[in-house]
């Protein structure tokens, strides 16, 4: 391969600015000193999610000989967790690590960056984001809030949550007070439930006293730490509202624009690596945690077909309402669902049949 | 957060050497000029896999202001695709992008880096590699070949391949000549089949003439390019021998050791990002390709329960033989299967039940 071909090869998918740096003297902009603050929406106790921001910051520091330092702050150290994006919009910090669906109060479109009921699983979310135009669509929308965002982490399909009593029919949801946020709460309300917003630390006492009847959180590894199994033993699955919840790094638009092209490249690669890393960690720690929870008395229950289908149908009603009145939501939602149709056809073939066979072997104690 | 805490935070998971660079003057080793050659085991026509090496090289170049240049060569440009690892061992090139299972002729242990029959799916493979000790175990073994390796790409669960005639029973496999490599071929032989090794370009004419009865390749997007559907219309699924085939970057050990710690950090992050990217691309392009193949006449067929179970049982026989006589294989295989047992229990809960429900909706035309 000739030198010219190599350069052309390297140019595949490179932004014009980055390709342009090939011609510049190497030392012209090598590793300028940059020091940024990242506010996480998560406490340090959620080491999987919080730790992902630290891994990202480590990758960036390593790639720049420690000249680009990103200091990670836990929720509450600079601003409360649910105000992380606002702190980026107004320039209090240069970036945050957060979940878009925390901001549905501003506009439900924010939720499409993370997960909405019956959306994509974790692998599909990556496919749509990186190759299906998802990253650009989300950024077209977030630009209105002075934000540029990159995918950075995924929990995989979450658990449906902890219930004090069994729920078998839609009638059992009537009046059910459940800690559940965002669009998932809107769907629950359509079925007669009463969604509640509670910060992490307030959930356990509310559940213990019966102020709420149920709560959803994340999955076995994170849920175990909060001890819900002691006061609400029925552990339902899955979280139909979080089939593959994706986290994002959100950057203040001016600060992002000011970065040298090489630093933008480093940040993009580091974010994608950390994105991969977080899911790998969850997929490693959750299997052990579900065993411990079951041993400690958690009662695993799938949602009934009646509840699952009613929840799906109510979600479709909500999407009909949202797409009728919100053009931003409609544009992104329709891109995601167009991919989802084909993806859930293909995944039935090789992936699902492989897993199904393996699960049958697992149940037969053959693994 | 105080400065000391930040530095400690950055230290999580950082190798001692990298953490040590915090104290060094920034310019001491900033971006030294390095120029390496990467030989890929794949032709440029497999743009998903071949392209992953280019994406990796691009990330590294961007992160170093183009001072660390990795030139990517297609299979055959320097050495044939199946000799890529040898070229690294003997220092002909600094690194390659390849699949460990191409080298089972040396030792079957190589296959555990990529995929063996009834091993992990793509997400589990990442979990085990990054958090379950897989990367270290593989590298302990590859050190004997003067190689250091990092995960870099995954195809997801592959298709079982193209058959000229339907196969329904184990008897139908008797004498069946199938292009299939590595341990998968050994398992097929136990069931009476006749595994064949053929390079990519030779498969179509052999299948057309009936010199072989069947071939496996990758999945819809790659298979479509080779046109197998025209001469062997029965497209079976899944490839029980490749539930999540992982590619690797393999580095010459001396060359790896000579890299500055900062460059090692860049390479690790770039490899992990490219690992994520390849699966995302496959998951985006395969759904469209399977639709086109079905429209062009491909006949989708799941392997029968009889064949699937017989293949599983034969694989267990092979593993009993290999673990009895090969300590390297045993060590890595047992680490992988210990995780697999728990992983396939947990994945049945949230992930599988979510996907199952969504697939039911897909079949009901509700997505």
């Amino acid at each position: 391969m000739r030198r010219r071909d190599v350069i052309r090869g390297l140019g595949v998918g490179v932004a014009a600015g980055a390709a342009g740096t090939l011609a510049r003297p190497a030392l012209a902009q090598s590793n300028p000193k940059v020091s940024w603050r990242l506010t996480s929406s998560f406490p340090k106790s959620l080491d999987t999610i919080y730790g992902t921001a630290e891994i990202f910051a480590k990758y960036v520091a390593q790639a720049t000989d420690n000249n680009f330092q990103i200091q990670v702050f836990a929720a509450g150290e600079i601003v409360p967790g649910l105000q992380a994006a606002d702190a980026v919009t107004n320039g209090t910090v240069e970036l945050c690590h957060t979940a878009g669906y925390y901001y549905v109060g501003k506009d439900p479109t924010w939720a499409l960056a993370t997960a909405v009921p019956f959306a994509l699983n974790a692998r599909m979310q990556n496919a749509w984001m990186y190759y299906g135009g998802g990253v650009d669509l989300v950024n077209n929308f977030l630009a209105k809030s002075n934000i540029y965002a990159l995918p950075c982490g995924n929990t995989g399909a979450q658990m449906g949550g902890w219930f004090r009593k069994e729920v078998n029919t839609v009638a059992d949801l009537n009046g059910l007070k459940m800690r559940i946020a965002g669009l998932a709460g809107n769907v629950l309300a359509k079925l007669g439930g009463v969604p509640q917003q509670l910060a992490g630390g307030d959930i356990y006492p509310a559940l213990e006293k019966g102020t709420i009847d149920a709560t959803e959180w994340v999955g076995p590894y994170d849920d175990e730490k909060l001890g819900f199994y002691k006061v609400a033993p029925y552990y339902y699955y899955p979280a139909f509202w979080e089939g593959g919840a994706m986290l994002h790094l959100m950057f203040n638009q001016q600060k992002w624009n000011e970065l040298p092209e090489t630093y933008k490249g480093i940040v993009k690669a580091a974010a994608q690596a950390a994105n991969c890393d977080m899911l790998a960690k969850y997929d490693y720690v959750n299997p052990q945690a579900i065993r411990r929870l079951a041993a400690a008395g958690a009662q695993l229950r799938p949602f009934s077909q009646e509840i699952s289908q009613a929840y799906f149908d109510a979600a479709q009603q909500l999407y009909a309402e949202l797409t009728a009145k919100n053009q931003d939501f409609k544009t992104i939602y329709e891109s995601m669902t167009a991919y989802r149709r084909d993806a859930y056809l293909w995944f039935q073939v090789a992936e699902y049949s492989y897993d199904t066979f393996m699960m049958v072997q697992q149940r037969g104690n053959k693994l």
Side-chain angles (χ1 to χ4, degrees), chain A:
Chain A
M1 195 194 266
R2 288 161 307 164
R3 174 82 191 159
R4 231 180 62 211
D5 294 325
V6 178
I7 290 173
R8 199 160 52 215
L10 288 169
V12 174
V14 181
T21 60
L22 281 169
R24 290 189 215 164
L27 293 176
Q29 61 174 37
S30 250
N31 294 352
K33 293 269 181 197
V34 176
S35 181
W36 277 9
R37 299 193 307 169
L38 179 159
T39 185
S40 171
S41 285
F42 310 97
K44 292 183 187 177
S45 57
L46 288 178
D47 59 281
T48 35
I49 310 190
Y50 178 81
T52 296
E54 289 192 319
I55 285 169
F56 161 75
K58 183 191 81 176
Y59 286 160
V60 171
Q62 285 181 335
T64 59
D65 232 350
N66 298 299
N67 285 301
F68 189 174
Q69 293 278 351
I70 295 170
Q71 199 172 343
V72 179
F73 293 87
E77 289 191 313
I78 300 175
V79 293
L82 302 185
Q83 293 169 27
D86 300 274
V88 171
T89 295
N90 66 30
T92 302
V93 294
E94 288 84 3
L95 78 162
C96 69
H97 188 229
T98 191
Y101 62 18
Y102 288 156
Y103 312 99
V104 290
K106 299 177 195 296
D107 185 321
T109 310
W110 284 76
L112 291 163
T114 317
V116 297
F118 306 98
L120 306 171
N121 70 22
R123 276 177 55 179
M124 295 175 190
Q125 181 78 348
N126 276 343
W128 173 63
M129 279 283 174
Y130 291 122
Y131 283 92
V135 166
D136 288 343
L137 286 168
V138 165
N139 278 318
N140 285 347
F141 170 71
L142 292 180
K144 297 182 187 181
S145 300
N146 200 30
I147 282 173
Y148 175 77
L150 290 171
C152 188
N154 201 303
T155 62
Q158 298 193 9
M159 291 292 285
W162 301 87
F163 290 69
R164 286 164 52 100
K165 295 182 185 159
E166 291 188 80
V167 288
N168 297 305
T169 64
V170 175
D172 291 340
L173 301 180
N174 198 35
L176 182 100
K177 292 191 288 293
M178 180 170 182
R179 185 268 179 199
I180 186 170
L183 299 191
N186 297 352
V187 178
L188 182 67
K190 283 184 184 290
L191 299 176
V194 186
Q196 311 273 315
Q197 298 248 31
L198 285 177
D202 299 333
I203 303 174
Y204 186 94
L207 206 52
E208 187 174 30
K209 278 185 278 184
T211 313
I212 58 173
D213 305 301
T215 185
E216 63 95 48
W217 188 238
V218 183
Y221 182 75
D222 293 332
D223 293 10
E224 186 185 22
K225 294 178 188 171
L226 297 184
F228 300 136
Y229 62 94
K230 296 174 202 160
V231 288
Y234 299 102
Y235 197 19
Y236 277 87
Y237 61 86
F240 284 118
W241 47 95
E242 299 187 85
M246 174 173 269
L247 287 297
H248 276 80
L249 294 166
M250 295 188 184
F251 304 83
N252 177 278
Q253 187 72 63
Q254 284 76 45
K255 291 293 173 182
W256 175 260
N257 292 343
E258 287 167 11
L259 278 187
E261 289 303 318
T262 52
Y263 277 15
K264 286 181 186 168
I266 287 168
V267 165
K268 284 181 181 177
Q272 194 172 20
N275 186 30
C276 174
D277 202 86
M278 178 169 148
L279 186 60
K281 180 162 183 184
Y282 268 116
D283 287 344
Y284 190 72
V285 297
N286 274 329
Q288 301 158 15
I290 193 95
R291 277 192 179 280
R292 288 193 300 268
L293 283 169
Q299 303 288 313
L300 281 165
R301 295 282 187 280
F303 281 122
S304 69
Q305 184 57 29
E306 179 187 326
I307 288 179
S308 304
Q309 196 65 51
Y311 199 88
F312 180 85
D313 294 341
Q316 305 318 303
Q317 270 182 33
L318 179 67
Y319 293 135
E321 294 159 16
L322 289 173
T323 53
K325 69 185 178 194
N326 184 326
Q327 184 58 47
D328 289 325
F329 189 92
K330 184 172 191 283
T331 301
I332 305 180
Y333 181 74
E334 288 181 351
S335 164
M336 184 273 285
T337 52
Y339 169 67
R340 185 183 63 175
R341 259 190 301 278
D342 279 354
Y344 266 113
L345 175 62
W346 157 239
F347 272 71
Q348 286 172 60
V349 184
E351 202 68 43
Y352 188 79
S353 58
Y354 184 84
D355 281 341
T356 300
F357 183 83
M358 295 301 285
M359 288 171 188
V360 170
Q361 306 307 309
Q362 191 279 331
R363 292 193 172 206
N365 277 320
K366 293 190 170 188
L367 294 190

